[in-house]
Amino acid sequence: MVLSPADKSNVKAAFGKIGGHAEEYGAEALERMFATYPQTKTYFPHFDLGKGSAQVKGHGKKVAAALVEAANHIDDIAGALSKLSDLHAQKLRVDPVNFKLLGQCFLVVVACHNPSLLTPEVHASLDKFLCAVGTVLTAKYR
Amino acid sequence: MTLTQAEKAAVVTIWAKVATQADAIGAESLDRLFFSYPPTKTYFPHFDLSQGSAQLRGHGSKVMNAIGEAVKNIDNIRGALAKLSELHAYVLRVDPVNFKLLSHCILCSVAARYPNDFTPEVHAAWDKFLSSVSSVLTEKYR
């Protein structure tokens, strides 16, 4: 799936508006994902997953930073996330289906905090972008 | 996901054998698909789906021909299947999940006919190859 020029500009604009809130959104997306899809918790036996957990906040920051990086290098997401892609392939081995779940939760968080931002077109572009990120992160699994 | 040289070789080698029974394998795969996954029949209200039906055999041939094209152009599947990709995007709109199901049925048919050749490595190579084909065919959906 290829991001059109319109998709790219929608994604960049969206992240521009999200700005510094990206880290909170990352944390909230994880929280929602653990609540709605409890099976995802199995990847974090070493974390405190309670409300307001510092570990979840910290991890949310990391996830958000990667998404921002990808958005800033939207013409070469594979290049920008190459190390993360290796990490997921060789160490983390998160089942690909979970990327969709986290992506959806992230969209929900964006929608909750920025209702006017997420027009159908922007929604579609962001969803494509998140799918592209997921694809890159699972590209080296086999 | 990219195919390694070894994987491409495995796909090409097995195809040489599969090609000799392509039509039968195509029809059998579709048969298996409709049997195991009845919702897939909804895409064919205009077909006679009984076993051995001429329409099933005809359609099975089409599917296998396309796969054969992809094998012949294994370094550029996207180019080889560009028209089919557009057909699926703009006209057929088969839900992407069904490609996995048909791919699985094709693997079963091939495995059943060539049990000694279908080693774990060959299985993995064919699964990756059919996943690539499926990705190409659903790439232009949005």
Side-chain angles (χ1 to χ4, degrees):
Chain A
M1 151 190 43
V2 166
L3 294 169
S4 70
D7 287 326
K8 291 179 188 181
S9 86
N10 283 340
V11 170
K12 281 173 148 22
F15 273 88
K17 294 220 180 78
I18 293 172
H21 293 286
E23 293 178 355
E24 293 161 40
Y25 290 10
E28 194 182 323
L30 285 171
E31 209 192 304
R32 285 172 180 272
M33 185 183 74
F34 294 138
T36 315
Y37 309 108
Q39 65 272 29
T40 55
K41 294 194 280 188
T42 56
Y43 290 98
F44 299 89
H46 53 305
F47 265 30
D48 159 24
L49 296 178
K51 209 163 160 62
S53 138
Q55 284 174 309
V56 172
K57 287 208 172 86
H59 199 66
K61 267 173 88 164
K62 279 193 200 168
V63 168
L67 290 178
V68 167
E69 192 58 13
N72 289 336
H73 294 87
I74 204 165
D75 291 314
D76 181 21
I77 299 178
L81 300 187
S82 162
K83 286 219 156 58
L84 259 187
S85 180
D86 289 335
L87 182 71
H88 282 79
Q90 288 148 21
K91 266 199 74 194
L92 302 177
R93 307 247 181 110
V94 174
D95 188 315
V97 74
N98 297 295
F99 291 91
K100 289 204 221 286
L101 302 181
L102 181 56
Q104 284 186 3
C105 290
F106 187 79
L107 275 182
V108 166
V109 172
V110 171
C112 287
H113 293 280
N114 306 274
S116 53
L117 170 61
L118 218 66
T119 62
E121 292 76 22
V122 170
H123 176 168
S125 297
L126 271 179
D127 191 64
K128 274 174 89 168
F129 168 71
L130 292 168
C131 285
V133 169
T135 299
V136 163
L137 293 179
T138 54
K140 301 180 190 174
Y141 275 35
R142 59 170 178 171
Chain B
M1 146 189 47
T2 43
L3 294 164
T4 65
Q5 288 306 111
E7 285 161 348
K8 291 180 187 177
V11 170
V12 169
T13 308
I14 299 297
W15 178 256
K17 300 192 178 189
V18 168
T20 61
Q21 298 186 51
D23 290 353
I25 293 177
E28 183 188 320
S29 303
L30 286 173
D31 220 12
R32 289 175 183 277
L33 179 72
F34 297 137
F35 235 91
S36 295
Y37 310 106
T40 55
K41 293 195 278 190
T42 56
Y43 289 99
F44 298 90
H46 53 304
F47 265 28
D48 160 18
L49 295 179
S50 53
Q51 245 189 5
S53 101
Q55 284 174 310
L56 257 189
R57 273 183 286 124
H59 199 67
S61 294
K62 274 196 203 169
V63 169
M64 296 309 277
N65 280 340
I67 293 179
E69 268 312 288
V71 174
K72 257 191 264 163
N73 296 282
I74 204 165
D75 290 313
N76 181 17
I77 299 178
R78 184 172 278 136
L81 300 185
K83 285 220 156 56
L84 259 188
S85 179
E86 278 165 26
L87 181 71
H88 283 78
Y90 304 131
V91 178
L92 303 176
R93 306 252 180 107
V94 174
D95 188 318
V97 73
N98 296 296
F99 290 91
K100 285 202 223 286
L101 302 179
L102 180 56
S103 298
H104 172 70
C105 292
I106 293 174
L107 286 183
C108 286
S109 296
V110 171
R113 285 164 195 260
Y114 304 101
N116 297 327
D117 297 290
F118 212 63
T119 62
E121 292 74 25
V122 166
H123 176 169
W126 264 83
D127 191 63
K128 267 178 93 166
F129 168 69
L130 290 175
S131 293
S132 292
V133 169
S134 305
S135 287
V136 165
L137 293 179
T138 53
E139 189 168 73
K140 300 183 186 174
Y141 276 35
R142 59 170 180 170

